Amino acid sequence: LSPVCLGSLRRGPHELMHTAIRSPLSQQQEDEFLQQLSENSVQMLKETELNSQKLPDLIRHNPKVATRVFLTLKNTPQINDYYKAIVQMDMTKKYLVHSIQIVTDIANETTVPSDFAQNYISNCIRSCSEIQDTFYQTMLVRQVCVLIQTLIRTKVINIKDLFVKNAR
């Protein structure tokens, strides 16, 4: 196929985001979307009409894309809405694993706000304590521990502050 034909076969970012919010993307679609995002970044996200209310579904179906969205928006005013959305989202089984991994990946790449990190960890701990399946609960607790270690290593959370808060 000629480059012109190949270009016409590419799906637009709006169509790919629409699909990503509703179902898992194929590996080819994910690669294509991430490539388009790396080329056009913030402007492309504006064109897709993604907003923080759609974030939980994106996390559920396409966590790698959700991570890239966070990293793309990290220096924009919208990022605070996305942090708020991830703290407030339903922390049930279908979202929890992906959201913990996303926050860990984000924290490894950029500095996350300390208040966000503390609220998110509190929600994770509460959610873990409500899970009845001990195998699943153990897996999640391990993931939360990895996240906490990442946040301490990246100096988002000061361990001395944690001791002071717990001692009160």
Side-chain angles (χ1 to χ4, degrees):
L1 291 174
S2 73
V4 173
C5 289
L6 285 173
S8 66
L9 292 176
R10 287 182 72 174
R11 293 191 171 117
H14 188 273
E15 182 184 341
L16 285 169
M17 182 60 78
H18 184 76
T19 302
I21 291 168
R22 286 172 176 58
S23 64
L25 295 176
S26 69
Q27 187 63 53
Q28 180 182 358
Q29 290 172 316
E30 182 180 280
D31 292 345
E32 183 178 328
F33 185 80
L34 294 174
Q35 177 64 35
Q36 290 177 20
L37 185 57
S38 69
E39 293 169 1
N40 303 319
S41 64
V42 176
Q43 182 58 37
M44 188 191 101
L45 286 177
K46 287 180 185 177
E47 292 169 7
T48 66
E49 300 175 8
L50 175 68
N51 60 48
S52 58
Q53 290 80 30
K54 296 176 184 174
L55 182 65
D57 291 325
L58 184 61
I59 288 172
R60 178 180 178 197
H61 297 298
N62 292 286
K64 192 173 180 180
V65 172
T67 300
R68 184 58 51 205
V69 165
F70 264 93
L71 294 173
T72 299
L73 295 174
K74 69 182 177 184
N75 295 320
T76 68
Q78 300 99 316
I79 193 65
N80 292 326
D81 293 335
Y82 285 79
Y83 281 131
K84 185 185 287 185
I86 202 168
V87 166
Q88 294 174 349
M89 69 185 253
D90 177 21
M91 294 295 239
T92 58
K93 202 171 189 175
K94 62 184 176 181
Y95 296 107
L96 197 54
V97 173
H98 289 316
S99 71
I100 294 170
Q101 186 58 52
I102 288 166
V103 174
T104 302
D105 291 346
I106 294 166
N108 277 316
E109 294 286 327
T110 190
T111 302
V112 297
S114 181
D115 58 331
F116 157 75
Q118 291 176 11
N119 290 331
Y120 182 77
I121 289 171
S122 294
N123 287 352
C124 287
I125 291 170
R126 187 177 351 89
S127 297
C128 285
S129 69
E130 295 170 358
I131 292 175
Q132 301 300 315
D133 179 346
T134 56
F135 175 79
Y136 188 68
Q137 184 183 49
T138 301
M139 181 189 71
L140 287 173
V141 168
R142 286 181 181 160
Q143 272 194 297
V144 171
C145 289
V146 170
L147 173 59
I148 292 170
Q149 287 174 335
T150 300
L151 294 170
I152 290 170
R153 181 177 38 78
T154 58
K155 298 182 177 27
V156 171
I157 294 177
N158 184 340
I159 198 151
K160 292 178 186 174
D161 291 343
L162 292 176
F163 285 127
V164 171
K165 287 180 185 175
N166 288 331
R168 292 180 187 170

